[in-house]
Amino acid sequence: MTLTEPMTPEMTRTEPPTQTEHPRVAVPWWQSAVVYQIYARSFADSNGDGIGDLEGIRSRLHYLHDLGVDAVWLTPCYPSPQRDHGYDVADYFAIEPDYGDLESFDRLVSDARALGIRVLMDVVPNHCSSQHPWFQQALADRPGSRARARFYFRDGKGENGNEPPNNWLAWFGGPAWSRIVEPDGSPGQWYLHLFTPWQPDLNWDNDDVAEQFDDMLTFWFDRGVEGFRVDAVSVVGKTPGLPDTPPPPPDARVTDRALHNPHVQFRPEGHAPWLRWRRLTDAYTAAHPDRPVFFVAEAYSPGRPDRVLEYLRGDKFHQVFSFDLLLAQWTSEQFHQAITDSINELASQHVPLVWTLNNHDAQRSVTRYGRDDATDPARFSGNNLINSDSPVDLGLGTRRARAAALLMLALPGAAYLYQGEELGLHEHLTIPPEARQDPIFIATDGDELGRDGCRVPMPWTTTDDGSYGFSPPGAASPPWLPQPHGWGASSAEAAAADPGSVLTMYRGAIATRRELLGAVAAAEFGFIDTPPGMVGFRNGPVAVFVNFMAEAMAIPAGHGTRVVLTSLGGHTDASVLPGDTAIWLA
Ligand code: BGC
């Protein structure tokens, strides 16, 4: 089988390919990396203000080194009014004062590099903060000015322009347009914001915009950044003329409604920036061959990997997340499908895969898989990562999340972890309403809980000192989001001392992955025939089986007798797999 023949579930292979069929080639480090996402605000607070910061991250680098990750991805740490916690950038060339400054950033990059950990940042191209000097200038200037042309300013419709220019809705609730007051005090034009009103959309047809981002990327590459996660790429580019959209289904949740607008998603008009960025990184890498800089793009497209592929084809992004795994319920069918779709579409085009099970926008996997509705497709809408409210069994969820992690870490390509996943942290579901800060919660009047529950500050120590070691002793302020009662039991300190902990499993799996899989190419992957309820595949020298059912199942014979890893501590039998468990055989 060659890479250009899509692999289907029927075309399974039970033996690994030989070296002559698929010779190993040197690949850039990021293609098979384990990357750890740091939610900067919640990782570690060095100065006691209750907010995570860069010095805090620096003080915990040894923890990340011991975990074995290749790189960290920092969520946006640029100056920001924090209306969407950093995804509203007010200055692309500096560090948020709550997090540090450029000197602390340089120290972090240098110390991380000394430990073999690379630093990736987050770039937000679709919008900036309404506090960005450009937007402030646009408010101060006249309609038709150069400053307004960097955004989507339009006259309103109806009498006196009192109605928005079209019927688009914002992702986090309400209309996607807000009206400004002109400098002379009269009711003015409207501007487009697909997320919150504090995040005006940038107009990528404008050269100023494109040039600013060229400068920004180069600025951070020159400071030692080795790549960027690119935010919300699928909404860059809008249908020319900004026509009305057909209304969303009446029962669609607020955060799902904008998904139904075809004029703001996956637009062909939105691809020019990525071609430009690729030329920029190619030139940068050519000039610095020891530092192959790259992009990994965020583009959610459940069940439609063909749309994701458009962001890779023809020299655009280097990688795009395969989110179908993260969106899957705990069923063998959905996991099998998620892997199949990504492998067929992406790997068949020689594109490296990027897997993830958790991030700062999704309910934590331990909670997702522990829900009553986790295995019931009839009770799942495919995109309700943050909204299910069915009862949770955390023990069961943890067991399944462990198995899912072992599955992901055995897949070909890169794996992105989200901080705290390696501790088995669960979603904090009972944050009091007055403490919640996610704009989704605020804009929906609490109808949707939003994402605060997965962003709670990390527990580092077992002792309840007010922050479980997140802030230093005697901190002036409590953690910016309250931690759940008993969070210390899930702390890094508790986990490090426990050979059966989730942390111990992740450390072992990452080390074993590096040793056995190294830079295994996608071509060495093949599904193994398994009974319903089980997923099996081979990647290079390792055969992996996951039992998605509650009852134990026999492992198909002939795929290895040595148990390399299991998600269930103490299980050593290569012929049988207990329920909700994963195993690696060699
Ligand atoms: C980020 C979110 C953010 C949104 C707007 C996303 O996809 O991951 O956290 O709220 O983009 O920037």
Side-chain angles (χ1 to χ4, degrees), residues 84 87 127 172 195 199 229 231 298 360-361 451 455:
D84 189 16
Y87 288 94
H127 43 267
F172 296 163
F195 291 90
Q199 293 164 294
R229 176 264 191 186
D231 186 65
E298 180 208 33
H360 66 293
D361 292 329
R451 305 158 295 177
R455 300 174 174 182

Side-chain angles (χ1 to χ4, degrees), residues 37 39 73 75-76 84-88 122 124 126-127 171-172 195-196 199 229-233 298 300 359-361 438-440 451 455:
Q37 179 190 355
Y39 197 73
W73 145 32
T75 50
D84 189 16
H85 292 124
Y87 288 94
D88 46 331
D122 207 314
V124 187
N126 180 64
H127 43 267
W171 233 275
F172 296 163
F195 291 90
T196 69
Q199 293 164 294
R229 176 264 191 186
V230 190
D231 186 65
V233 299
E298 180 208 33
Y300 281 89
N359 65 31
H360 66 293
D361 292 329
D438 187 350
I440 293 179
R451 305 158 295 177
R455 300 174 174 182

Side-chain angles (χ1 to χ4, degrees), residues 143-368:
S145 61
R146 173 174 176 176
R148 290 219 178 157
R150 295 172 184 141
F151 299 92
Y152 291 91
F153 275 89
R154 295 289 185 276
D155 293 333
K157 290 207 291 208
E159 202 182 328
N160 301 322
N162 285 343
E163 289 164 32
N166 68 27
N167 66 351
W168 297 356
L169 296 170
W171 233 275
F172 296 163
W177 295 91
S178 290
R179 193 171 196 187
I180 67 160
V181 176
E182 295 295 346
D184 65 4
S186 62
Q189 287 196 297
W190 299 71
Y191 69 92
L192 177 68
H193 50 79
L194 287 186
F195 291 90
T196 69
W198 301 279
Q199 293 164 294
D201 279 45
L202 288 161
N203 172 13
W204 272 89
D205 293 331
N206 183 279
D207 288 344
D208 288 351
V209 173
E211 282 161 21
Q212 165 175 265
F213 278 91
D214 287 355
D215 292 348
M216 178 231 177
L217 296 170
T218 310
F219 176 86
W220 294 104
F221 287 146
D222 285 347
R223 289 200 108 87
V225 169
E226 315 232 11
F228 282 89
R229 176 264 191 186
V230 190
D231 186 65
V233 299
S234 53
V235 296
V236 171
K238 281 84 185 166
T239 303
L242 315 183
D244 277 346
T245 173
D251 56 345
R253 265 191 304 263
V254 167
T255 46
D256 282 349
R257 289 186 321 196
L259 290 172
H260 297 276
N261 183 350
H263 301 304
V264 298
Q265 286 200 92
F266 301 102
R267 300 298 315 165
E269 298 85 3
H271 286 273
W274 322 134
L275 292 164
R276 180 181 180 117
W277 285 17
R278 183 57 176 262
R279 286 196 296 275
L280 185 143
T281 49
D282 284 352
Y284 200 92
T285 299
H288 308 82
D290 54 326
R291 292 187 48 223
V293 293
F294 80 106
F295 296 114
V296 53
E298 180 208 33
Y300 281 89
S301 178
R304 288 286 308 274
D306 55 312
R307 297 205 295 195
V308 171
L309 196 55
E310 288 308 311
Y311 291 89
L312 297 153
R313 233 193 265 280
D315 275 351
K316 290 171 202 152
F317 294 113
H318 302 78
Q319 293 182 306
V320 178
F321 284 102
S322 294
F323 282 122
D324 287 5
L325 209 57
L326 177 145
L327 296 169
Q329 284 179 285
W330 185 249
T331 72
S332 60
E333 294 79 11
Q334 289 187 31
F335 268 68
H336 195 290
Q337 192 65 48
I339 299 168
T340 306
D341 283 351
S342 296
I343 296 224
N344 281 353
E345 287 287 339
L346 305 182
S348 67
Q349 302 289 325
H350 299 268
V351 163
L353 299 156
V354 184
W355 307 100
T356 191
L357 290 165
N358 288 283
N359 65 31
H360 66 293
D361 292 329
Q363 194 166 91
R364 286 190 176 274
S365 54
V366 162
T367 302
R368 262 173 16 233

